[in-house]
Amino acid sequence: MKRQSHSIEVIFVFLLFAVFAILSMLLIFIGSDNYNSILHAQDRNMDTRTAISYISNKIRANDRKDAVEIREINGIDVLALKYEKNGEQFENLIYCYENAIREALTYPGLEFDLSYGEKLLEADSLMITYQPEQKIVSFTVTGLDGSKKNMIISLKSGD
């Protein structure tokens, strides 16, 4: 009789340990899945925030009279930032093409294909408007996950 109760206690302890181990593993799997989804969402959000910050800093750095222009190339909004260096005229073009914010440095008046630009960040779209009378540039970046971030910049130059 004593031997049977001892084996029941061992089986009970083993089953209790097995349940604890299974529940611990289940908790680890659930936690890692949540952690991965949070990281993924954070990465997507970081791309749109970085794109907004990058474009706004480029505009602010190029805040001179007649230096900002919005064009449409093949139905896509293109931010053209004009500047001069060592007597030569350049244009820095920023736009969204093939799910990426792209940037290209070119000479004014050259033929330009949208695929020439260097990929900076992933994004679904970039919508840009410029109101020269109020000196306001506004743009919206839409991430691949559909999240939208926008920025409005008031240009200080103009004289």
Side-chain angles (χ1 to χ4, degrees), residues 86-159:
N86 297 332
E88 287 191 80
Q89 298 289 325
F90 295 97
E91 287 183 335
N92 192 0
L93 305 178
I94 300 173
Y95 55 95
C96 186
Y97 180 68
E98 293 181 344
N99 291 332
I101 301 287
R102 294 174 181 247
E103 181 177 34
L105 185 64
T106 183
Y107 293 106
L110 286 181
E111 278 293 316
F112 182 75
D113 187 85
L114 295 170
S115 64
Y116 293 165
E118 183 73 28
K119 290 182 183 180
L120 300 176
L121 297 161
E122 291 184 343
D124 188 47
S125 69
L126 171 64
M127 295 183 351
I128 311 166
T129 59
Y130 177 46
Q131 301 167 356
E133 307 82 33
Q134 291 88 21
K135 297 192 280 185
I136 293 176
V137 179
S138 61
F139 55 95
T140 303
V141 175
T142 305
L144 294 178
D145 62 348
S147 65
K148 293 184 178 190
K149 301 267 188 255
N150 61 350
M151 176 71 78
I152 300 172
I153 297 174
S154 177
L155 300 175
K156 306 296 182 208
S157 67
D159 299 328

Side-chain angles (χ1 to χ4, degrees), residues 68-79:
V68 176
E69 183 182 313
I70 306 300
R71 294 188 197 137
E72 190 174 301
I73 300 175
N74 297 334
I76 293 178
D77 291 338
V78 176
L79 173 65

Side-chain angles (χ1 to χ4, degrees), residues 41-59:
Q42 206 172 26
D43 286 344
R44 296 273 180 161
N45 193 17
M46 180 68 106
D47 282 347
T48 54
R49 284 186 290 143
T50 303
I52 287 290
S53 178
Y54 182 80
I55 295 168
S56 62
N57 284 330
K58 283 289 196 173
I59 292 171

